[in-house]
Amino acid sequence: MALRRYTRSVDGTIPVQALLYDDEELVAVQDSVGIYDGSQKSPEHQSGTIHLSTHRLFYIDSQQEATQSFALDLAYVTQTDHYGGLFSSSPKATLYLTAPSSSDNLGLGTITTAVPAFESWECEVCAYRNPPGLSPSAARICSLCGVPRSAVPAPEPRATSLPSSPPVSGTTTPVSHDPTMSIACPACTFLNHPSLSVCEICSTPLPRVKHSSERSFSAKSAPASRPRSPDDETVPRMIKISFRKGGDKAFYSALKRSLKGKAWENNERGTPSERHATTRSGINGILRVVESSAQNRENDLQDSLQDLEALMNKAKEMVRLAADLNEKLTASASSGPSASPLNTSINSDSSALVPVTEPEEATFIRSSLAQLGLQMANTPVTLDMMKDDRKWFDELARELAGILQGSSRSGNGSTGTGLLGERGILPLDEVWGGWNRARGVALIPPSTFLQVIPLLSSYTDPPIRRRTFASGLSVLHTPPFTDAAFAARLSGLLALSGPKTTIEVAQEEKMAVGLATEMIDAVEQGGYICRDDAQAKISGSSGGGAELRWWANIFEGYSWDGQSDISQA
Amino acid sequence: MSVAAHTTPSGYLLPSIHSAPPFFTKQINPTTRSIADDHWARIILGYARHRRLFTLRVEDAETSGNDWDEIFRNERINRRLLPDHLASLISSMVTNNLAVYEPPKQTRSVLLYWRRPEEWADVLHSWVASTGQMNTIMTFYEITDPPVESPLSSLPIVILRKAIDVLSKSGRAQIIAIADGEGVRFFPGGSKI
């Protein structure tokens, strides 16, 4: 009976951590425990795990965790007992329960209104919207300004109740505050909210006339109207936890600590929190809360960044390990003849080198490495592989060449088209992004990238060079995209098929319009073409984007065929 | 596109380049642009001589229906000269001493030098000689608005003054103040045409 009366069933399939209130902490865990309801064994709760938090006890059944698990509020525990065990009898902890008579309603209210406790509410003093998820006691005061919530939700969802609606008697536990009950400050006469302990204006301690009645949260509530079951008085209200596999001592002491801590109680009460309460109320308190929450957030952020850094370090080790492993495999499998003198990762394409007679284990390891994305063929060149900078840049250029042109990289001529693909020209930023995406780890900074580019032409066939346009845009291009070659091609195109717009040229050349614009501008600078702006139209320039057509340079080599100047004496 | 030369209704022969749309766009490339500007200057001056026009204003490209329509608009290719393009043409002509801002200290209108002041001086002197008015005092009005049509008819006073300046420097003319303004007396001699 005690069990059913004081506990609330929980869904044990949810991890206990997720069931906790925001201000609740898990303290101890013990598995292989059984529960006694009163002095008898509770048959449904004989094998499970017990979790102790600062607020509650959770029993998670090991067989039927969804239905047989429960939680017990430590607030009901008045007394505990420890039994050390004897022969076949396991050690036990006994919890004597009581529904605190004065706050019976509070307790039951907490149980029945468990769901409303999880909704967010707005403080009527500071208008702070309190998040859900706090324990019932903590949810009773505003977490920003520390003023108690005026109307604790009634058992039925209080979606429509006004914040200032008078407290309903019964299971509600109001802190009544008629406006007339405001406490006048003895120093400045400011009428303070009854729940404040110091004046909001001048910080003078307030006379606490109403305090004693406030303390018991049932000042106005009606006497318990709920009919009590007749066996209430006769059955000893206790449950026992039987520790089948030990761990009882540690658990018991943790339990004692939790009980002593009384974390479920509103921490506005109690001796040490008197001072705490004063700092929590008023503007000062609000500022402090905001400050400390910002501090917490910063700490969290720093922690997570450190975690990330640690993870990066681990990943680096992992990569090194994979590299070592693969090297060993390659060394043992290929007895040397096919190994190229350059033992760098670029051209030692492992799959090409390893003969088919590779032992099964080696294949397995290699395939798992490949699954992890740690294949040696993908391993980028990093500085620590190289002896000196010169060699490092050379290797980088080789790698970049492979990425751009594709073919040199994919060993036995597989159909890997590089980043350049069918295009002959690529903006530098796209190349840089694509390269780093291909590397995956150990990314290349732009400065290194720029140093590598001059070396690129000696590793590519046809040579890839860099070109910077007047606008500052830099590209990598193959020979057909040098200024002269492009100008010749463009003039030919214009001569052959008449004037073209930039977009038409871009289509013809299969390049981005922006890029085509740059190229054409460069050709115009060279004087090979001239422009015809549709703005100069007499009619029909219908406002839209001024169309610009490119013409072969008609001015070049033009000889005057107009009226002769000497016609008139 | 028609690339042939074209004769305007007034009888001026426009070059074939005037029928190419890019000619009406201000080119960006400096070399190309200077070529185009030269051609424009030649067309403008040739047309001005043809029609005996002396002033050119930027506004002439802004509106239609004025003296310059025939060269500033080409209906056959649906192109016209934009005012800011004309303004830059004018400034390049002034730089090349083919025109002068009139009135000075603005850049919206110019006097066109389809004859240079020295040439005008020669024209003036030979006209005076041919009409037998040497050594007589003439007013400016008598020169620019003679009863018989002359090469100097409707010549702007500004150009006339410059031409007389050229002549007086070589001793062939003299400005004389007369009762109601200025007069000029021409002398034979000096270099003959």
Side-chain angles (χ1 to χ4, degrees), chain A residues 392-437:
Chain A
W392 151 242
F393 286 133
D394 276 348
E395 287 307 324
L396 281 180
R398 196 193 304 275
E399 179 179 303
L400 181 56
I403 285 168
L404 282 174
Q405 296 188 319
S407 55
S408 73
R409 180 77 182 276
S410 54
N412 38 16
S414 62
T415 59
T417 55
L419 199 56
L420 214 49
E422 306 230 314
R423 294 173 291 178
I425 187 162
L426 269 186
L428 219 53
D429 51 344
E430 203 174 310
V431 175
W432 182 69
W435 189 15
N436 273 331
R437 209 172 303 140

Side-chain angles (χ1 to χ4, degrees), chain A residues 163-343:
Chain A
S164 59
S165 65
V168 192
S169 71
T171 54
T172 54
T173 61
V175 175
S176 67
H177 64 286
D178 217 30
T180 57
M181 283 187 175
S182 302
I183 304 170
C185 172
C188 70
T189 71
F190 180 74
L191 290 180
N192 285 282
H193 191 275
S195 53
L196 292 173
S197 55
V198 295
C199 176
E200 203 175 336
I201 302 297
C202 61
S203 299
T204 310
L206 296 173
R208 320 200 78 189
V209 277
K210 291 298 294 173
H211 198 257
S212 59
S213 69
E214 268 175 64
R215 285 189 43 151
S216 66
F217 278 77
S218 57
K220 275 202 153 181
S221 63
S225 53
R226 191 187 51 80
R228 295 199 166 182
S229 35
D231 55 354
D232 252 6
E233 308 306 320
T234 55
V235 177
R237 294 189 273 197
M238 61 174 185
I239 65 168
K240 291 186 195 172
I241 306 164
S242 169
F243 296 88
R244 303 272 149 73
K245 286 189 183 160
D248 54 312
K249 286 213 176 65
F251 190 87
Y252 187 71
S253 61
L255 177 65
K256 289 294 254 186
R257 264 204 309 281
S258 275
L259 286 171
K260 212 165 186 177
K262 287 188 191 298
W264 58 89
E265 288 200 2
N266 196 334
N267 48 10
E268 249 189 325
R269 286 177 280 162
T271 43
S273 54
E274 194 70 43
R275 189 195 55 225
H276 184 54
T278 62
T279 60
R280 270 188 61 111
S281 51
I283 306 289
N284 223 5
I286 293 176
L287 286 178
R288 191 155 311 185
V289 170
V290 169
E291 216 167 73
S292 75
S293 72
Q295 181 73 34
N296 284 344
R297 206 170 308 136
E298 194 167 307
N299 287 346
D300 288 351
L301 195 67
Q302 241 154 26
D303 281 356
S304 9
L305 285 178
Q306 271 167 6
D307 285 355
L308 258 184
E309 222 157 80
L311 186 68
M312 292 276 284
N313 282 335
K314 291 280 178 211
K316 217 175 263 176
E317 279 171 30
M318 184 82 177
V319 169
R320 198 177 313 130
L321 182 70
D324 284 353
L325 204 54
N326 214 334
E327 221 164 78
K328 272 181 203 152
L329 284 176
T330 313
S332 67
S334 69
S335 41
S338 62
S340 69
L342 285 162
N343 66 341

Side-chain angles (χ1 to χ4, degrees), chain A residues 469-489:
Chain A
F469 292 107
S471 71
L473 176 74
S474 277
V475 295
L476 292 183
H477 65 92
T478 50
F481 288 89
T482 57
D483 194 19
F486 182 77
R489 200 156 67 245

Side-chain angles (χ1 to χ4, degrees), chain A residues 524 531 533 536 561 563, chain B residues 13 16 25 27 29 79-80:
Chain A
E524 190 191 22
R531 56 173 65 200
D533 197 332
D561 54 1
Q563 184 140 342
Chain B
L13 181 68
S16 62
T25 299
Q27 297 297 323
N29 181 303
R79 288 289 182 278
R80 68 190 174 94

Side-chain angles (χ1 to χ4, degrees), chain B residues 93-149:
Chain B
M93 285 172 74
V94 169
T95 314
N96 293 333
N97 209 15
L98 298 173
V100 64
Y101 289 124
E102 177 59 40
K105 297 191 176 65
Q106 53 82 46
T107 59
R108 300 287 290 176
S109 92
V110 284
L111 272 183
L112 296 168
Y113 281 171
W114 41 271
R115 277 201 183 104
R116 311 188 53 70
E118 296 78 22
E119 297 174 290
W120 278 118
D122 289 343
V123 171
L124 175 62
H125 195 258
S126 58
W127 174 74
V128 169
S130 67
T131 50
Q133 299 185 83
M134 284 293 173
N135 294 319
T136 57
I137 295 171
M138 302 174 74
T139 60
F140 289 174
Y141 178 77
E142 282 173 308
I143 299 171
T144 59
D145 201 8
V148 182
E149 184 87 357

